[in-house]
Amino acid sequence: MALTILNTNTAGLSGAIVVGIMMYLKYKKLDITMILNGALGGLVAITAGPDLYNIYLPILIGSIGGILVVIFVPLFDKLKIDDPVGALSVHLVNGIWGTLAVGIFASNEAN
């Protein structure tokens, strides 16, 4: 259970940090709503199998989840898909990414 808690929190944190860095580099300011969506994206991405990874892979998985949020929030806006809080980017896109991540990265070494 400790590994699941550690991996879940690590992925959420890495998603938030990556989005914060990306927002600052792009706009020279921090956007708290995007940072929170990055954290949620990291959490959603790791949820498919938080006990299946070592302690380092959730950093990568959560970071990719945050990057996907930054990419897909404006994309859904350009496509005129009504998503005022970024829920599609967080849940749909990162749910797909998290499911794929299990197939790519999961191992029984962590157990």
Side-chain angles (χ1 to χ4, degrees), residues 82-95:
D82 187 23
D83 187 24
V85 295
L88 287 175
S89 301
V90 169
H91 295 284
L92 175 68
V93 173
N94 278 298

Side-chain angles (χ1 to χ4, degrees), residues 19-107:
V19 170
I21 292 168
M22 290 178 74
M23 290 289 101
Y24 189 78
L25 291 175
K26 187 171 184 179
Y27 300 111
K28 301 293 184 222
K29 65 178 185 172
L30 298 174
D31 182 351
I32 190 66
T33 59
M34 285 296 284
I35 293 170
L36 291 173
N37 276 343
L40 289 172
L43 291 169
V44 170
I46 200 69
T47 301
D51 62 326
L52 302 175
Y53 308 113
N54 62 33
I55 62 172
Y56 302 107
L57 280 173
I59 297 168
L60 175 65
I61 294 167
S63 296
I64 293 171
I67 292 167
L68 290 173
V69 167
V70 172
I71 293 169
F72 278 91
V73 165
L75 178 65
F76 287 137
D77 286 343
K78 280 186 181 181
L79 295 174
K80 298 192 186 303
I81 296 174
D82 187 23
D83 187 24
V85 295
L88 287 175
S89 301
V90 169
H91 295 284
L92 175 68
V93 173
N94 278 298
I96 293 168
W97 160 237
T99 303
L100 293 172
V102 169
I104 296 168
F105 298 116
S107 72

